[in-house]
Amino acid sequence: MSNAPLSPEEIQRYARHLVLPEIGGSGQQKLKAARVLVVGAGGLGAPVLMYLAAAGVGHLGLVDDDHVSLSNLQRQIVHTTQNVGKSKVESAAEFLTAINPHPVLDLHNMRIDEANASDLISRYDIVADGSDNFATRFLVADTCEQLKKTLVTGAVNRFDGSITTLQPFLTRADGTLNPRYRDLFPQAPDESTVLTCEEAGIMGALPGVIGSLQALEVVKAITGAGELLVGRHLLFDAGSMLFYPVKYGRKTG
């Protein structure tokens, strides 16, 4: 990521970042130069996209093949009633441009799959995965590992959510490699045994909590501020309002 000069308008827009020692001018320039792919423009993707656009990430990729439905609006806050029936990437782009006209938006109105994942992910520096199924999560995680791309992945279900950050291509202080997604989840469960959002329901504000944490992790990864959730799986129980960090490591063999 190269330094990207800030305009006078951007200096005013990002003033609260610029006075943070952990970000400052150099960090904001890194945000402007960054390329981030967000997988899914739904419950998790909505707050991720909104906060990354507001933060000044210079290049945002949106990938989703779905269209906005009325039942989405209880939690997918990047979409509006007037956009029901419109493609989610186009609907989200309208909202993001209203928040901040500066980021360049790449709209990928398609489903990420084995045929296109490598080409798509290779165009970006960091990936935030807000997909709603294990097949996509495993595909994205495996591809990011292969291409050495930082991945911030989140998931939600009913009253529960979780998030972790993956950099399995980097080593820890002790010289061992960081864990992979498959160290946390060795294999995907049978999809027939997992209730969908339509079947199980979901608390509307829950994706906002996890998606906001994903956006925060992406900003930290870009700017170098703070400590990332690498090797830590952060679980959130909305019923009790408690967070549970669970450590995990690289498995051998």
Side-chain angles (χ1 to χ4, degrees), residues 43 74-77 158 202-208:
Q74 163 252 17
R75 64 200 178 281
Q76 299 182 15
I77 57 174
R158 302 186 73 248
I202 186 167
M203 174 61 71
L206 174 63

Side-chain angles (χ1 to χ4, degrees), residues 165 167 216-217 220-221 224-232 247:
T165 297
Q167 294 179 325
L216 182 57
E217 280 288 280
K220 288 163 55 185
E227 181 182 353
L228 298 175
L229 284 169
V230 175
R232 291 181 293 157
K247 291 185 178 180

Side-chain angles (χ1 to χ4, degrees), residues 1-5 26-35 125 222:
M1 303 177 192
S2 60
N3 287 339
S26 62
Q28 194 62 50
Q29 288 177 313
K30 290 177 182 177
L31 288 168
K32 183 174 180 178
R35 300 175 60 89
D125 306 313
I222 293 170

Side-chain angles (χ1 to χ4, degrees), residues 30-50:
K30 290 177 182 177
L31 288 168
K32 183 174 180 178
R35 300 175 60 89
V36 178
L37 177 67
V38 179
V39 180
L44 289 171
V48 174
L49 288 165
M50 291 165 68

Side-chain angles (χ1 to χ4, degrees), residues 110-121 123 139 143:
M110 60 186 187
R111 186 179 185 85
I112 192 168
D113 57 29
E114 292 185 1
N116 60 35
S118 183
D119 176 65
L120 186 59
I121 290 173
R123 307 177 203 176
L139 172 64
T143 305

Side-chain angles (χ1 to χ4, degrees), residues 115-142:
N116 60 35
S118 183
D119 176 65
L120 186 59
I121 290 173
S122 67
R123 307 177 203 176
Y124 297 88
D125 306 313
I126 297 175
V127 177
D129 185 7
S131 58
D132 61 359
N133 64 88
F134 277 99
T136 301
R137 291 176 197 147
F138 273 86
L139 172 64
V140 171
D142 289 344

